[in-house]
Structures are given as structure tokens and as C-alpha cells.
């Protein structure tokens, strides 16, 4: 992988600073790079608090240990979800929903239609199109639907930026910051106002007299690419307001209302618990993102970022997401950590920034070489058949609406199976369902107690990853907390999920609709977030150490479905 050109970290607010390439890393923290020893010395007063932060030390202790008290997460219900409940960023990693080489074949050039019935953000679209085989020259049609207006509005805006801005480098960084950063640059703001707003204003002006509930569609064409948006009239008017400056909010106020959530004093023990489980080298970068909310390399200038991101602060004076929302959770942790940041090897958000640059660049370049069309909707997934053609999709991804608390598997199959292409047209057509809560809802007290015994398979495996190096000093010792947090990662849940699927008669429900569960998956592993390597094997410890940072429990189970006729 090509090493990105990291700028020298010797910069100050209000001045240009050094603009040369940073080729030498800070040997103590590995968070920043410098062009020379002179620049490193000049920047030391600014860098010292981060470089010498107690968070970097192996001996760092969480506040509850230092203060000799019971941690807040052991109390009765101190906010399982703290902050607003919007999920504007992905909470499971993006994956390629086509996997052409494993299915239709790398040389396939026929048409492809993909439906994301409960899309969330656009990460799966970016990953799928960016990873199309170079030989693919067919047409691809992607339909994204979500019932959350905030998600749909942001997806529309990001697609428009991707299709309207000619300079790929400019478009890429604009997309990254509109997608993930709490503050954006004036240049990003200008793109919204000068290139995106006129497109939406035209629709709102032409339909001003229409009743609010009128369904209106608009198609924009850009050479061989197109974007169609179908929304109620009221939603079109709301879409325009996502481009407005948040009323009465400047950069300082935006950061204040954000850190009320992300750095809440009442959540200090939750943050410390998380930091117990990640490498010391990553804690400083994690804390900095909680402070400034900017997806940038650690040593990059922040002075340009002075505009509150209107797509995040739209219509509110508060931060819209839970305190633990993190852009890293939407992308494969191993791929992000394998991204080069030169000598700044501990800069995990810098790695994310350059990973996103690479993925989004590949996505945009691929759009320039194929016929691609996008359709965005805002309807309940149960009624999506009113807006799309039946028996027409090569892939359907529904996220976790198949979980019991949402549509459930029976209704999901009922609504989605008829939308798959018949086997005679495409035997590889696949419906992808995710069960995030099934295992947790099925586990019994007996199951949990069995795995807690010292000689259980999970306990014996866990001790190989976390060999005891000292006797715990209390029941809330960080060593015990880390063991308890890591236990999920080493447990086997196959029998638990089989019990769940048997109880809900997955096979019978599918058969009634002319479908079946795929015994061998061809898109995504059944348990993609379980540890793959045995303890003691090369890379196993690194895999284990990386897992807690991804925000996953390893209980997430995918099921793929195919038509039988």
C-alpha cells in the first residue's frame, strides 16, 4: 500500500505553519510526523500534552479505580443509550454485497440491480461499487431506502456531491467531512450552497403549490450516471433545510453541545471501560475524536473547520447521536488498521481518513467508467414493493430489520423474497439478513453460567489471550472488567442461534415462499465478527486486541437466502 503524504505537524491556529511533508514520526507516541527535528522542537509545546498524556501509559488506571468506587456501569440503568438515538453512521462494517467473483463471476457483464431496503448510510454502496472487478462493464442500478428522514437526506446530499463535483479529490474530502465531521470547511459549505442547493431549490419552487403529502420524483442525469429521488412534497422541503446553517450556532457552540454528549461526566466510567480494552497507543486519538469530532489525521490543522455540519445539526441544538457513535464502526477494522499513516502508526483516525480517501476515490472513479443509476426512497420497508419492480433484484440487503424487534424474519421474507430475480434469470440472486439481537434474546441464565465456569471452553480460550499477570485488587479491577468485556469474543453461539431459528421455523417460513436458507454463504460469513484464528497462531493476538475497538459483540449473525424456483 502506498504511504500517504502526511504534512508536518508543526502548525498553529492563525498561521500557515510548515507545509512540508512529514517523514519522521514522534518516536514516543507515533501520532504525528514532522519534516525535521527543528519543526518537532518548535511544535513541542503544542504536542507535549498529547505525547505525555497519562492515557498512553500501560499503567493508566480508570477513574473508578483511582477513586476507589463502584463504576457507574454497574449501577441500575444509567442510560444504556446516552444522547439522541439517531444512527447516522453504520454500526456494523461495510461489505461488498455483490462478491461477483464468488457468484456471477468476475467476467460477468450483465445488468445488476441491488436493493438496500433499510440502508442506513451509504457505506455498503461505496464498498460494493469501489470493489467491482475492473472487467465489469455492465449497468448497475442501486435502490436505497430508509424510513428515517435524516438518513435519507444525508444520503441524497452525499450522492449529489459524488455526482456533481467534477474534481474527484475535492469531492472525496467533502464527502468525508459531510459524512463524519462535526464541523466542515468553508469550501465544503460553498459546494453545498453553490452546487447542491440550486438542484433542490428548483424542485421545491416548481412544486410549491402541491399538497404536503404529494409523492414527487425527480431524476438528475450526469452523463452515464443518474440519481432519482422519490419523496413526499413535505420531505423535499425538509431536504432543502438540511443545507441551512443551524440557527444561532457557530463552531464553538456546535462543539459545546456535542461534547455535552460525547464527554459527559456521567459517562466517564463508560469511556474508561472502553479504553481499558483498546491498546494504550489508541487512547489519545480516541479521546481527541471525542473532543473535536473531526475525521482527520492527528497532526492535521483544524483551523479551516469552522462551519457546523448542517446535515448533522439540522433543526436541533444538540448532538443527534449516542455518545458512543464512532465512524470506525462502519468499516472493517483490519482494513482500516492496515492503512498506512507513515510513521504515525498509532493514529487510528488518521488511518480511517486515508482509508476513506482510498475507498471513496475508487467509488467515484468507478462511477465514471460504468453506467450507474441510483434511486433513493423514504418509505417503510414493508411497503417498498409499491415503489420497485418485483422479481428484479440480484441482491437485497435489509440490515437487521429481520430482528424480532423490527419486522421480524417472517414479514421480512414475505416482503423481500418476491423482489429477488428468479433462479432462471440469476441463480445467484441473494437476500441478506442480519440478526444483531437474536443471540442475546435467546441466551438463558443456564447458557451464561455454563460459560462462566473456569474450565469451560470459552474460559480456557480467554486465558490464553489474557494470561493473568497480577492478582486483581477488587471486583472492579480493570483486569476483571477487560476479561468480562472480552468473554463475548471467545464464546460459540452456533447452538444458540440454531435454537432461535428452529423456534421461529426459518426453513418452513422460507419454503412457503419458494425460498431457502443458503447453507454455504457467498456474500458474507455467517459469523463475520467472530475471531477466526486459534489462540497461539500467528496474528491471533493482534486479531483479539483489535476486536474491542470495532464496537461489535461477535453475536452478530448473517443469514443468506435464495429462491428455490
Amino acid at each position: 500500500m502506498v504511504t500517504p503524504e502526511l504534512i508536518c505537524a508543526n502548525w498553529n491556529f492563525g498561521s500557515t505553519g510548515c507545509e512540508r511533508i512529514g517523514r519522521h514520526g514522534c518516536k514516543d507516541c507515533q501520532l504525528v510526523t514532522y519534516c525535521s527535528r527543528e519543526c518537532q522542537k518548535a511544535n513541542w509545546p503544542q504536542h507535549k500534552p498529547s505525547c505525555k498524556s497519562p492515557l498512553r501509559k500501560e499503567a493508566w488506571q480508570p477513574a473508578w479505580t483511582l477513586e476507589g468506587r463502584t463504576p457507574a456501569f454497574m449501577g441500575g440503568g444509567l442510560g444504556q443509550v446516552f444522547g439522541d438515538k439517531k444512527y447516522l453512521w453504520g454500526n456494523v462494517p461495510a461489505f461488498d454485497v455483490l462478491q461477483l467473483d464468488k457468484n456471477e463471476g468476475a467476467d460477468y457483464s450483465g445488468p445488476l440491480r441491488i436493493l438496500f431496503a433499510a440502508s442506513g448510510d451509504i457505506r455498503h454502496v461505496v464498498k460494493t461499487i469501489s470493489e467491482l472487478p475492473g472487467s465489469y462493464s455492465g449497468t448497475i442500478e442501486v435502490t436505497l431506502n430508509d424510513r428515517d428522514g435524516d438518513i435519507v437526506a444525508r444520503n441524497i446530499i452525499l450522492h449529489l456531491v459524488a455526482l456533481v463535483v467534477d474534481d474527484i479529490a475535492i469531492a472525496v474530502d467533502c464527502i468525508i467531512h459531510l459524512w463524519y465531521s462535526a464541523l466542515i470547511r468553508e469550501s465544503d459549505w460553498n459546494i453545498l450552497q453553490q452546487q447542491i442547493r440550486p438542484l433542490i431549490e428548483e424542485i421545491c419552487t416548481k412544486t410549491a403549490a402541491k399538497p404536503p403529502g404529494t409523492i414527487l420524483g425527480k431524476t438528475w442525469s450526469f452523463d452515464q450516471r443518474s440519481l432519482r429521488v422519490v419523496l413526499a412534497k413535505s420531505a423535499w422541503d425538509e431536504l432543502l433545510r438540511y443545507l441551512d446553517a443551524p440557527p444561532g450556532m457557530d463552531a464553538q457552540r456546535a462543539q459545546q453541545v456535542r461534547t455535552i454528549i460525547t464527554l459527559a461526566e456521567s459517562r466517564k466510567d463508560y469511556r474508561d471501560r472502553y479504553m481499558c480494552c483498546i491498546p494504550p497507543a489508541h487512547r489519545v486519538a480516541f479521546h481527541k475524536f471525542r473532543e473535536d469530532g473531526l475525521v482527520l489525521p492527528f497532526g492535521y490543522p483544524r483551523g479551516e473547520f469552522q462551519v457546523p455540519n448542517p446535515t448533522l445539526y439540522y433543526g436541533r441544538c444538540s448532538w443527534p447521536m449516542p455518545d458512543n457513535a464512532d465512524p470506525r464502526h462502519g468499516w472493517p477494522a483490519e482494513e482500516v488498521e492496515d492503512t498506512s499513516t507513515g510513521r504515525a502508526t498509532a493514529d487510528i483516525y488518521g488511518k480511517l481518513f486515508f482509508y476513506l480517501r482510498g475507498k471513496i476515490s475508487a467509488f467515484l472513479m468507478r462511477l465514471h467508467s460504468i453506467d450507474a443509476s441510483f434511486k433513493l426512497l423514504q418509505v417503510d420497508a414493508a411497503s417498498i414493493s409499491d415503489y420497485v419492480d418485483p422479481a428484479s433484484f440480484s441482491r437485497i440487503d435489509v440490515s437487521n430489520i429481520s430482528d424480532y424487534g423490527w419486522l421480524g424474519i417472517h414479514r421480512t421474507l414475505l416482503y423481500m423474497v418476491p423482489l429477488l430475480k428468479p433462479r432462471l434469470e440469476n441463480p445467484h440472486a441473494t437476500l441478506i439478513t442480519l440478526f444483531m439481537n437474536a443471540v442475546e434474546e435467546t441466551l438463558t441464565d443456564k447458557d451464561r453460567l455454563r460459560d462462566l465456569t473456569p474450565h469451560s471452553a470459552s474460559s480456557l480460550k480467554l486465558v490464553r489471550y489474557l494470561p493473568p499477570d497480577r492478582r486483581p485488587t477488587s471486583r472492579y479491577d480493570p483486569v476483571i472488567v477487560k476479561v468480562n468485556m472480552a468473554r463475548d469474543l471467545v464464546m460459540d453461539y452456533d447452538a444458540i442461534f440454531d435454537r432461535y431459528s428452529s423456534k421461529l421455523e426459518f426453513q418452513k417460513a422460507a419454503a412457503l415462499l419458494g425460498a431457502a436458507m443458503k447453507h454455504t454463504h457467498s456474500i458474507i460469513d455467517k459469523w463475520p465478527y467472530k475471531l477466526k484464528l486459534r489462540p497461539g497462531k500467528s496474528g491471533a493476538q493482534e486479531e483479539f486486541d483489535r476486536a474491542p475497538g470495532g464496537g461489535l459483540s461477535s453475536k452478530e449473525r448473517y443469514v443468506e437466502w435464495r429462491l428455490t424456483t
Side-chain angles (χ1 to χ4, degrees):
M1 183 174 292
V2 176
T3 300
E5 289 194 343
L6 292 162
I7 65 171
C8 178
N10 181 27
W11 56 269
N12 294 287
F13 290 115
S15 66
T16 57
C18 179
E19 297 182 358
R20 286 174 289 188
I21 302 302
R23 304 189 187 280
H24 312 285
C26 175
K27 62 180 179 60
D28 291 329
C29 67
Q30 290 89 44
L31 284 168
V32 297
T33 58
Y34 296 99
C35 68
S36 64
R37 181 171 294 275
E38 290 70 27
C39 269
Q40 184 171 8
K41 288 181 178 178
N43 185 240
W44 179 242
Q46 287 75 39
H47 180 56
K48 181 178 178 180
S50 298
C51 192
K52 298 300 182 182
S53 170
L55 295 175
R56 283 190 51 250
K57 300 182 183 302
E58 290 284 351
W60 171 83
Q61 294 287 303
W64 75 76
T65 299
L66 298 176
E67 297 164 11
R69 56 175 174 79
T70 301
F73 52 79
M74 297 301 298
L78 182 60
Q80 290 300 307
V81 175
F82 184 81
D84 208 337
K85 296 182 180 181
K86 290 286 183 181
Y87 293 93
L88 305 182
W89 302 332
N91 57 357
V92 294
F95 63 94
D96 173 6
V97 304
L98 286 174
Q99 297 285 343
L100 280 186
D101 58 334
K102 298 179 183 177
N103 294 281
E104 290 85 352
D107 295 329
Y108 177 79
S109 288
L112 292 166
R113 299 188 74 196
I114 306 170
L115 169 63
F116 295 96
S119 68
D121 64 15
I122 65 171
R123 68 195 187 284
H124 296 313
V125 179
V126 169
K127 195 155 198 321
T128 298
I129 291 181
S130 70
E131 296 182 3
L132 277 172
S135 57
Y136 182 74
S137 58
T139 61
I140 185 164
E141 301 177 34
V142 180
T143 300
L144 293 95
N145 173 68
D146 203 287
R147 68 180 185 179
D148 187 302
D150 286 349
I151 290 173
V152 175
R154 281 167 48 82
N155 288 351
I156 293 169
I157 291 167
L158 292 176
H159 272 88
L160 284 172
V161 172
L163 295 170
V164 169
V165 179
D166 292 327
D167 188 311
I168 287 180
I170 292 173
V172 167
D173 282 8
C174 182
I175 288 170
I176 291 173
H177 297 305
L178 287 174
W179 195 345
Y180 289 124
S181 291
L183 302 176
I184 59 175
R185 304 162 299 177
E186 187 176 352
S187 59
D188 304 320
W189 174 256
N190 289 339
I191 288 172
L192 291 181
Q193 303 311 311
Q194 296 170 15
Q195 296 183 258
I196 308 303
R197 178 180 288 277
L199 299 175
I200 301 170
E201 273 182 340
E202 180 184 12
I203 311 304
C204 295
T205 301
K206 286 183 177 179
T207 61
K210 299 282 186 181
T214 306
I215 302 299
L216 303 170
K218 168 65 179 178
T219 301
W220 290 282
S221 296
F222 311 90
D223 297 326
Q224 78 273 35
R225 300 158 292 150
S226 67
L227 171 64
R228 179 166 178 77
V229 176
V230 179
L231 298 173
K233 167 64 169 59
S234 57
W236 278 105
D237 293 335
E238 288 297 301
L239 177 59
L240 190 60
R241 298 186 187 110
Y242 281 87
L243 306 175
D244 292 338
M249 184 178 286
D250 58 13
Q252 183 178 3
R253 177 60 180 158
Q255 292 296 56
Q256 286 175 346
V257 300
R258 179 180 174 277
T259 54
I260 285 171
I261 301 299
T262 61
L263 293 177
E265 182 65 19
S266 64
R267 299 290 285 185
K268 177 172 61 177
D269 290 351
Y270 292 81
R271 293 191 297 277
D272 282 1
R273 179 176 63 177
Y274 176 78
M275 288 194 288
C276 282
C277 301
I278 62 175
H282 290 176
R283 293 176 191 149
V284 178
F286 165 75
H287 185 72
K288 182 165 185 170
F289 181 75
R290 285 292 184 104
E291 286 182 317
D292 68 18
L294 302 179
V295 174
L296 285 171
F298 196 92
Y300 265 42
R302 264 69 174 163
E304 281 187 287
F305 293 81
Q306 295 297 319
V307 181
N309 187 337
T311 74
L312 290 176
Y313 289 103
Y314 162 75
R316 41 173 88 84
C317 293
S318 62
W319 183 243
M321 288 179 279
D323 65 322
N324 63 350
D326 195 307
R328 291 185 300 135
H329 296 168
W331 300 96
E334 185 174 7
E335 292 182 14
V336 172
E337 290 201 24
D338 284 347
T339 301
S340 175
T341 44
R343 298 296 182 89
T345 55
D347 184 8
I348 52 172
Y349 291 91
K351 288 178 178 291
L352 176 65
F353 176 78
F354 288 113
Y355 175 83
L356 290 171
R357 262 193 177 175
K359 269 305 163 209
I360 298 172
S361 293
F363 167 66
L364 296 182
M365 288 188 287
R366 207 66 183 88
L367 289 184
H368 283 79
S369 64
I370 57 172
D371 289 335
S373 60
F374 300 93
K375 182 178 182 180
L376 275 71
L377 305 170
Q378 184 190 344
V379 299
D380 192 287
S383 60
I384 199 167
S385 60
D386 296 335
Y387 297 85
V388 299
D389 295 330
S392 64
F393 290 100
S394 300
R395 304 286 188 277
I396 301 174
D397 176 72
V398 298
S399 187
N400 71 315
I401 63 172
S402 50
D403 263 330
Y404 185 79
W406 299 102
L407 277 184
I409 187 55
H410 300 147
R411 293 176 68 200
T412 298
L413 292 174
L414 177 65
Y415 299 134
M416 300 299 157
V417 165
L419 303 180
L420 282 174
K421 271 193 171 185
R423 283 184 63 80
L424 285 176
E425 293 185 38
N426 186 346
H428 305 283
T430 301
L431 166 66
I432 307 157
T433 57
L434 166 62
F435 296 86
M436 294 188 70
N437 305 318
V439 167
E440 189 61 38
E441 291 168 353
T442 306
L443 280 167
T444 64
D445 289 342
K446 184 178 179 180
D447 295 326
R448 292 184 172 92
L449 288 172
R450 181 177 59 247
D451 283 301
L452 286 174
T453 60
H455 299 293
S456 68
S458 58
S459 294
L460 293 174
K461 187 183 293 185
L462 189 56
V463 78
R464 296 191 65 184
Y465 287 116
L466 294 173
D469 57 358
R470 63 176 176 82
R471 183 180 294 275
T473 58
S474 74
R475 60 184 296 198
Y476 306 121
D477 188 291
V479 170
I480 295 179
V481 168
K482 187 171 183 178
V483 167
N484 288 336
M485 292 286 288
R487 188 171 293 277
D488 282 351
L489 301 174
V490 297
M491 291 174 64
D492 188 293
Y493 299 112
D494 283 294
I496 307 299
F497 189 78
D498 288 346
R499 189 191 309 162
Y500 177 86
S501 62
S502 177
K503 179 181 178 181
L504 294 182
E505 298 184 310
F506 276 28
Q507 299 279 22
K508 182 178 180 180
L512 291 172
L513 295 166
M517 295 172 64
K518 291 170 65 173
H519 295 295
T520 302
H521 281 201
S522 61
I523 307 294
I524 187 167
D525 289 348
K526 295 176 181 179
W527 301 96
Y529 314 123
K530 287 178 66 172
L531 300 176
K532 301 296 191 297
L533 302 173
R534 292 176 178 269
K537 294 290 185 181
S538 175
Q541 189 65 47
E542 290 79 4
E543 181 187 42
F544 176 84
D545 292 341
R546 182 170 55 242
L552 299 162
S553 69
S554 82
K555 299 173 185 173
E556 297 84 1
R557 172 65 150 87
Y558 281 88
V559 179
E560 295 179 8
W561 309 80
R562 61 174 178 84
L563 293 180
T564 54
T565 57

